[in-house]
Amino acid sequence: MFKGLKSRLESMMESEHAGKGVFLASLAESTFVPIPLEVVLLPVMISQRQKAWKYAALALAGCLLGASLGYFVGLLAYETVGEWFVGAMGLQDRMDDVQARIEDRGFWYVLFVAVSPVPFQLGYLGAGLAGYSFGMFLLASAIGRGVRYFGLVVLVLAFGKAAGPLLKEHQTEIAVGVTVAFIAIYAGVSLLV
């Protein structure tokens, strides 16, 4: 199933419908396809650098739509759809922890999940399940995923075709660096408030 969807999205990315492809790939990635969007988004941005900002915005829009749907599944239908999905993804052991962290840290934990390699599905289901504020959930998601997608634009514009190998080679360091930066911001805000 995923191979057919992937090949259709890849062919769409190479056509004049690349923007629709980016939006749909982001929607799929944020809802049920456990493949990082960067794998699809980066080659499109490299091949059409003049539209990279547009593609990042479309990716963010698709992600936020998918995350919103997932949030409401967590809020309204976790016992049926949500539990099945978490079980099918093999993430049940992490769901309770994510829900507890969202209840405890709210905005900052959603922001962390949106930026980090933690499956975003856990974040939106956990936020809905915890009854966390939808507006704050969307804001944290937009900031976190915006950093990821618009960060790719900066990489592509700065390094061109070398951005792909650079990202692949330093993926862990970049993720750790961004996570550390957000932890530092969180600690700073916590001290001021």
Side-chain angles (χ1 to χ4, degrees):
M1 177 175 109
F2 291 135
K3 286 184 180 183
L5 177 62
K6 183 181 175 194
S7 67
R8 275 183 260 153
L9 285 172
E10 285 174 350
S11 65
M12 186 181 283
M13 297 295 190
E14 295 168 3
S15 73
E16 72 270 7
H17 303 293
K20 291 176 188 172
V22 166
F23 178 84
L24 292 173
S26 181
L27 177 63
E29 184 264 344
S30 67
T31 52
F32 60 88
V33 178
I35 298 170
L37 181 63
E38 290 82 355
V39 171
V40 174
L41 190 56
L42 191 60
V44 173
M45 287 181 170
I46 290 171
S47 70
Q48 299 182 41
R49 289 172 65 170
Q50 73 282 6
K51 295 182 180 179
W53 294 107
K54 174 185 171 182
Y55 292 145
L58 288 167
L60 183 58
C63 177
L64 293 178
L65 176 59
S68 297
L69 295 170
Y71 173 92
F72 286 107
V73 167
L75 183 69
L76 304 171
Y78 184 77
E79 292 78 23
T80 54
V81 178
E83 278 184 353
W84 170 83
F85 180 77
V86 168
M89 298 276 294
L91 299 171
Q92 185 55 49
D93 58 327
R94 297 174 69 186
M95 190 66 225
D96 295 335
D97 181 52
V98 168
Q99 180 187 355
R101 288 176 188 256
I102 290 172
E103 288 171 352
D104 184 43
R105 294 182 189 94
F107 179 86
W108 292 103
Y109 192 73
V110 172
L111 183 64
F112 165 75
V113 172
V115 172
S116 74
V118 173
F120 197 45
Q121 291 85 353
L122 288 174
Y124 60 62
L125 287 170
L129 190 57
Y132 184 66
S133 162
F134 179 66
M136 294 305 287
F137 164 76
L138 268 185
L139 178 61
S141 299
I143 292 169
R145 287 298 165 127
V147 164
R148 286 178 66 162
Y149 304 148
F150 290 102
L152 281 181
V153 175
V154 172
L155 267 174
V156 166
L157 295 179
F159 298 102
K161 290 183 179 184
L166 181 70
L167 182 63
K168 187 174 184 178
E169 183 178 334
H170 298 287
Q171 183 174 337
T172 303
E173 292 91 345
I174 292 169
V176 168
V178 170
T179 302
V180 167
F182 276 106
I183 290 170
I185 292 168
Y186 170 74
V189 169
S190 296
L191 290 173
L192 294 174
V193 176

